[in-house]
Amino acid sequence: MAQIAEHPWKTLKQLSIPVWFYQLSDEKIYLNEPLQEMLGIELAVMDKQQVKEKLHEEDWSYFERLARSERSERILEFDYRWSNGGESHWFKDIVHPFYNEVGNRIGYSGIGATDRIYQMDLGRIKNAIVEIGEGFLRYNGQAFFDFLVKYLAAVLQVNTAFIGEWKGQQKNELFVCSIFHKGETSNGDTYQVEESPLELLATSVDCFYPSRAQEYFPSASILKRYEVESFLGKTLMSSDQEPIGVLAVMDQRKQTNNPMIRPLLQIFADRIANEMSRIQTEEKLEVLSRYDSLTGLLTRNYFSDILPGALEESAILLLFDIDNFKMINDSWGHAKGDELLRQFASYLRKTFAKQECVLSRISSDEYAVLIRSSITLEDVCLLGEQIIHSMRRPFIIEGKEFYTTVSIGIATSTPDSGDAEEVLRRADAAMHKAKRNGKNRYEIYDSRMGEQMREELQLKQALHQALEEGEFLLYYQPQISGETLQVKGFEALIRWNHPEHGLLSPHHFISLAEETGMIVDIGEWVLREACRQAKQWQEYGEPHLKVAVNLSAYQFADVALTDKIMGALTASGLAPESLIIEITETMVLQDFDRSIETLNTLRNSGISIHLDDFGVGFSSLSYLHRLPVDAIKIDRSFINQIDSDRNEVVIVNAIISMAQSLGLDVIAEGVERKEHIVYLQEKGCYDYQGYFFSKPVPAECVSL
């Protein structure tokens, strides 16, 4: 990073002797305070006209020729008469030309020639400005500090010079960035500042003990170590005037406190403070780059950096993905989405607080937890189940309840498990399997998942062509009235007639369609095709036949959903009363208020709403009585257990009773045996769907 040399006047004006600087760019003369006092004026800056009025005519002519003269390295003597209050006084100044870093002359400085010591010191200061500027351009960081302490010790002819940085909130320690002592440069020591001259520098701008420093601070370890007689220190200040460090010179001899010492130290202090501030800023940025600004967890890059070391011993890696987050973000808005990410990160911190672990947000909605303690895989799985179960509780964002679920992938690691990226890939494969298997669950990696992921990648690529190539088709499964044994309608179920793999059920490709974003286009095709087929059946003599279409979470979150549904009805000529929209508890609860508004709009148009897979989600009476739905469908997992597990029967009983109390119809899914029908009829459920009546079949095989 290129450094920019400072203007020489910034240093010259601090001298305790009279000095001026003529700047060619604005043709103005700058005067320091001692010179103003000597000349009896109160102007820090004078233009040429003001100077002309003070100088003798002959002296002014000489000054003008000097200003216009060609480049010269010569040091000039300028004798002039200065008028003040009607009296003129002779002065002699030594004039030095000044050049910038590219060699262009920028002006002249002048200092009284009455004291030759001052002239010599000014030469030293000028050389210091030039040489430090060159060092500032040539070095940075540690190399710059090493250059400066060595140069400072030489120019001030002392044994020791050092640069230190304050540590701790109370500035009770000083870390030595660089110290030059008797020909050698080192760094890394830390000194306590209490009862030492360093303690004074924590609260003041400088500290000068030209002699007997150890007598004043007998317990100061830094003075004892270097057998210090004299100590001259300067506080390094940041741009907002906060102490950040110390510049000091020490010697085994006494030092005279002449007026040049402080300005010379200040030259160095300003430069060092600038460089130290830059380094500290870069260090802070480096630390910040390790942590995600939204959640405070480790970033993926830093997590990847530390992962190899963390996996040198056995460990377990968990990968979390918030289900349907893109859809959540799009429907709720990014502000609420960000708050959900923050709250979930906080939840993970609390959940794993007692574990020796590392937490990271590795992508937009993915989190990694690496557990390094001696925890068993069984215990980790219990934690996973706990997290999944606890996600039934809503996140409170801006006073509203929001529900979501999470998919978890788990991979174990031993010292011979391969590199860190391989372990991360395994956890990712397990997480994706959890999403394919219905989300809201965890999966543990096994060796077959790698091949499965490669197959899925091929399916993802083929999905983009499947719709255009007409490879999707609908199968239909009848919904039966148990009281009349008549077909009330059909549920439309998508299949993919893959050119290589044959007929694929939704289990193989719906989650992939969601990941690729194809789910919306596919869902709209299902809606249009189901409406068209239902209208065709009605025209064949079944005017009361209805068709049920499942919506994906992405479709339900679409603000144009109602328009698209009505468009499909209009295009097919199907009446709204002949369409049933099936939704799940999870998609409704993701934004409950908006869901109610959408469902009310659909129902007011004549469309029926069924709540699908009831019992496997949140299943809360507190929200169910507020939902504008017409029926609930008991999930097949409960129906299949009716005659073998009395606990599951209790759940079925509760669902039927709940629906009856709310005036809702109940449809049992997965009815496969006569025993199912008998039990369900005893409990008051009379609508069924399942293999007992018919498997899903293509439209041409449907019996009307």
Side-chain angles (χ1 to χ4, degrees), residues 392-642:
R392 293 170 177 263
R393 299 180 60 183
F395 291 92
I396 308 300
I397 301 175
E398 296 182 5
K400 294 176 61 178
E401 295 182 352
F402 292 90
Y403 293 82
T404 189
T405 58
V406 65
S407 298
I408 308 172
I410 302 173
T412 58
S413 170
T414 58
D416 58 351
S417 295
D419 61 22
E421 284 301 317
E422 175 61 26
V423 177
L424 200 55
R425 280 192 294 270
R426 292 176 181 180
D428 187 63
M431 183 268 290
H432 277 86
K433 183 176 181 181
K435 297 184 84 67
R436 290 192 306 277
N437 288 344
K439 305 176 183 176
N440 194 31
R441 58 187 295 127
Y442 71 84
E443 293 287 348
I444 303 172
Y445 175 81
D446 65 56
S447 57
R448 294 169 295 178
M449 290 182 180
E451 180 61 31
Q452 291 172 350
M453 286 195 70
R454 284 188 287 272
E455 292 176 357
E456 287 170 10
L457 180 59
Q458 294 174 350
L459 287 177
K460 281 183 181 180
Q461 294 170 340
L463 265 176
H464 290 281
Q465 302 297 325
L467 195 57
E468 295 178 5
E469 298 295 330
E471 295 173 4
F472 293 115
L473 64 155
L474 294 184
Y475 274 42
Y476 296 89
Q477 187 174 36
Q479 295 177 343
I480 307 297
S481 169
E483 295 175 314
T484 65
L485 296 181
Q486 297 296 310
V487 176
K488 299 177 66 175
F490 291 89
E491 180 178 359
L493 302 166
I494 191 170
R495 299 291 187 267
W496 182 6
N497 189 16
H498 193 280
E500 295 180 11
H501 300 290
L503 197 64
L504 300 178
S505 68
H507 170 76
H508 292 91
F509 63 88
I510 287 299
S511 63
L512 302 179
E514 290 176 341
E515 291 178 21
T516 60
M518 288 292 295
I519 190 66
V520 175
D521 291 339
I522 294 172
E524 290 177 15
W525 175 84
V526 170
L527 183 63
R528 293 192 302 270
E529 177 61 18
C531 290
R532 184 200 64 78
Q533 184 62 66
K535 181 61 177 177
Q536 187 180 86
W537 284 332
Q538 288 180 353
E539 291 174 347
Y540 287 167
E542 297 293 338
H544 302 296
L545 203 66
K546 295 186 177 184
V547 67
V549 176
N550 291 279
L551 292 185
S552 72
Y554 288 87
Q555 281 179 285
F556 191 66
D558 188 351
V559 294
L561 172 65
T562 302
D563 292 338
K564 291 178 180 179
I565 291 176
M566 300 311 295
L569 290 171
T570 300
S572 64
L574 188 70
E577 290 76 14
S578 298
L579 178 63
I580 299 170
I581 293 296
E582 294 193 1
I583 58 174
T584 65
E585 303 165 78
T586 302
M587 67 173 69
V588 167
L589 291 176
Q590 285 175 345
D591 189 342
F592 192 68
D593 292 340
R594 180 185 168 280
S595 297
I596 291 176
E597 181 181 346
T598 300
L599 296 177
N600 275 327
T601 301
L602 295 175
R603 290 186 80 226
N604 291 338
S605 70
I607 298 170
S608 298
I609 306 296
H610 289 184
L611 197 59
D612 198 13
D613 299 333
F614 191 79
V616 298
F618 300 94
S619 307
S620 170
L621 183 63
S622 65
Y623 79 81
L624 185 59
H625 80 280
R626 296 171 54 197
L627 276 180
V629 298
D630 301 283
I632 58 177
K633 300 179 73 175
I634 306 174
D635 186 70
R636 68 182 65 250
S637 62
F638 303 125
I639 301 301
N640 288 338
Q641 298 297 320
I642 280 179

Side-chain angles (χ1 to χ4, degrees), residues 243-501:
I244 57 174
V246 166
L247 168 65
V249 295
M250 304 182 296
D251 201 79
Q252 296 171 339
R253 302 164 299 169
K254 296 179 181 180
Q255 289 289 321
T256 57
N257 191 6
N258 70 61
M260 291 297 179
I261 292 292
R262 292 174 185 260
L264 199 56
L265 276 181
Q266 187 64 53
I267 296 171
F268 284 80
D270 288 343
R271 298 288 191 177
I272 295 167
N274 288 341
E275 183 66 6
M276 187 174 288
S277 294
R278 184 188 66 80
I279 293 172
Q280 289 180 347
T281 299
E282 289 182 355
E283 289 175 348
K284 289 177 182 177
L285 290 174
E286 174 65 23
V287 170
L288 289 175
S289 71
R290 298 176 181 177
Y291 295 92
D292 174 49
S293 59
L294 182 66
T295 64
L297 302 183
L298 298 185
T299 61
R300 183 186 182 104
N301 287 342
Y302 188 56
F303 182 72
S304 297
D305 289 343
I306 67 173
L307 193 57
L311 294 177
E312 290 178 356
E313 299 180 359
S314 297
I316 298 177
L317 180 64
L318 296 89
L319 210 58
F320 298 83
D321 183 272
I322 299 176
D323 295 327
N324 303 323
F325 181 74
K326 183 179 184 303
M327 180 267 296
I328 292 170
N329 219 22
D330 292 343
S331 58
W332 294 358
H334 291 281
K336 291 185 177 68
D338 286 350
E339 180 59 25
L340 172 63
L341 294 173
R342 277 190 289 265
Q343 290 193 23
F344 185 69
S346 177
Y347 170 72
L348 288 179
R349 283 198 193 93
K350 294 176 183 176
T351 302
F352 293 95
K354 296 182 180 179
Q355 306 295 331
E356 182 188 350
C357 64
V358 178
L359 286 78
S360 171
R361 179 186 176 209
I362 62 173
S363 71
S364 173
D365 59 339
E366 289 186 7
Y367 298 79
V369 177
L370 179 68
I371 303 178
R372 296 178 292 188
S373 57
S374 56
I375 188 172
T376 65
L377 180 60
E378 181 181 1
D379 289 336
V380 170
C381 292
L382 288 175
L383 275 172
E385 291 176 359
Q386 172 191 329
I387 291 169
I388 290 168
H389 180 76
S390 64
M391 294 293 283
R392 293 170 177 263
R393 299 180 60 183
F395 291 92
I396 308 300
I397 301 175
E398 296 182 5
K400 294 176 61 178
E401 295 182 352
F402 292 90
Y403 293 82
T404 189
T405 58
V406 65
S407 298
I408 308 172
I410 302 173
T412 58
S413 170
T414 58
D416 58 351
S417 295
D419 61 22
E421 284 301 317
E422 175 61 26
V423 177
L424 200 55
R425 280 192 294 270
R426 292 176 181 180
D428 187 63
M431 183 268 290
H432 277 86
K433 183 176 181 181
K435 297 184 84 67
R436 290 192 306 277
N437 288 344
K439 305 176 183 176
N440 194 31
R441 58 187 295 127
Y442 71 84
E443 293 287 348
I444 303 172
Y445 175 81
D446 65 56
S447 57
R448 294 169 295 178
M449 290 182 180
E451 180 61 31
Q452 291 172 350
M453 286 195 70
R454 284 188 287 272
E455 292 176 357
E456 287 170 10
L457 180 59
Q458 294 174 350
L459 287 177
K460 281 183 181 180
Q461 294 170 340
L463 265 176
H464 290 281
Q465 302 297 325
L467 195 57
E468 295 178 5
E469 298 295 330
E471 295 173 4
F472 293 115
L473 64 155
L474 294 184
Y475 274 42
Y476 296 89
Q477 187 174 36
Q479 295 177 343
I480 307 297
S481 169
E483 295 175 314
T484 65
L485 296 181
Q486 297 296 310
V487 176
K488 299 177 66 175
F490 291 89
E491 180 178 359
L493 302 166
I494 191 170
R495 299 291 187 267
W496 182 6
N497 189 16
H498 193 280
E500 295 180 11
H501 300 290

